[in-house]
Amino acid sequence: MAKPSSLDLRERVAGDRDGPNIYELHKPCDPWSNHNRKGVALSWNALHPKAKDFLFTEGTLQQLSLENAEYAHALVAGDELGPWHRQKNWLAKEERTKKSPATIYDARQTAVWRMVDTVTSTVAASNGQQVLRTVKEKRSGFDKEALMTYVANLLADQDGLCAVTGINLQFDGEEDDKELLCSLDRIDSSGHYQPGNLQVVCRFVNRWKGASPDADFRRLVQLIQTSRF
């Protein structure tokens, strides 16, 4: 490994305080792109079904096996992928997928799935158990399929607009600003995920609102929207 240059490794010394020095390491990286390094478009739907098993969003947060990591590098570089695709387990996965094809979601449907999956995980982890502190209990009045339908209908009723700001919501895979991705919000944050207590808002709105009362937060947003800077 080459010795980092002064631009890559910076020492931060906090005056004369006791304790170890702190180092910042800066690793250069390419900007995000939906094309490989040879300029060919990368499409999720065009991926080999075996590759989808380890290249989905949550999967990339885990350490890949050596074989899968090499595949990912080859995919980004635009190299030949045949050595993987011709392996027996890859061929078998492709054959199984042909017999039972997975549902392909568009950007809007993917956003609905993500919001519902987040609710499911949140509810499972927020059942009032006591750890270092008491976790606020959250329940859902839906099963997963019913919640998918309900959220999809919410988006339609809101005409694809944020329920609080009226900003056009953006959907997964088509967004140009992640803060405008749709996010499922409880109108009354002390209530549960149940009919009448849900609205779809921009991601930043959900974060900024936090546990604030809905009416009060809307009042403040309206003040901002009508004020003259």
Side-chain angles (χ1 to χ4, degrees):
M1 176 176 169
K3 183 179 180 181
S5 70
S6 59
L7 293 177
D8 302 320
L9 178 59
R10 304 173 189 175
E11 183 178 359
R12 296 170 54 200
V13 182
D16 297 325
R17 68 170 176 78
D18 294 331
N21 293 338
I22 300 172
Y23 296 89
E24 292 181 355
L25 285 92
H26 298 262
K27 183 178 181 181
C29 62
D30 295 333
W32 182 91
S33 174
N34 58 357
H35 289 72
N36 66 28
R37 288 184 177 140
K38 294 182 179 177
V40 179
L42 293 171
S43 168
W44 174 257
N45 291 335
L47 278 179
H48 191 286
K50 180 70 174 174
K52 292 181 180 180
D53 287 346
F54 57 86
L55 291 179
F56 67 101
T57 302
E58 291 80 3
T60 57
L61 299 177
Q62 309 297 322
Q63 182 173 348
L64 297 179
S65 68
L66 179 60
E67 178 185 0
N68 292 345
E70 289 175 343
Y71 181 90
H73 281 291
L75 179 68
V76 172
D79 294 340
E80 169 61 37
L81 301 176
W84 288 275
H85 294 177
R86 289 190 290 270
Q87 292 181 29
K88 287 184 179 179
N89 57 334
W90 286 66
L91 291 169
K93 176 71 175 186
E94 187 174 30
E95 190 62 29
R96 289 195 302 271
T97 303
K98 288 178 181 178
K99 292 179 179 178
S100 181
T103 301
I104 298 176
Y105 292 125
D106 61 23
R108 191 184 186 104
Q109 292 168 323
T110 301
V112 170
W113 182 90
R114 171 181 51 77
M115 288 188 284
V116 170
D117 191 61
T118 300
V119 169
T120 303
S121 300
T122 300
V123 169
S126 305
N127 57 10
Q129 74 270 29
Q130 288 192 340
V131 284
L132 294 178
R133 58 186 174 82
T134 300
V135 177
K136 182 188 292 185
E137 183 181 12
K138 301 185 183 82
R139 295 195 302 270
S140 174
F142 305 88
D143 60 35
K144 197 165 187 176
E145 185 175 347
L147 185 55
M148 289 275 289
T149 300
Y150 187 85
V151 174
N153 288 336
L154 273 181
L155 275 173
D157 292 342
Q158 294 176 202
D159 295 323
L161 303 177
C162 171
V164 173
T165 64
I167 294 173
N168 283 304
L169 293 163
Q170 296 192 7
F171 305 108
D172 300 50
E174 295 181 349
E175 80 279 3
D176 54 33
D177 188 338
K178 291 188 180 297
E179 292 292 352
L180 302 184
L181 283 170
C182 48
S183 179
L184 192 60
D185 173 58
R186 286 171 298 148
I187 298 171
D188 176 5
S189 63
S190 64
H192 299 292
Y193 295 96
Q194 57 193 18
N197 194 41
L198 298 175
Q199 58 189 354
V200 183
V201 300
C202 295
R203 176 180 286 178
F204 81 91
V205 169
N206 203 342
R207 186 174 68 253
W208 287 3
K209 180 186 173 190
S212 301
D214 189 75
D216 194 44
F217 184 76
R218 285 173 178 267
R219 177 182 66 82
L220 296 174
V221 168
Q222 188 173 21
L223 283 175
I224 295 172
Q225 290 174 328
T226 57
S227 67
R228 295 181 179 178
F229 292 97

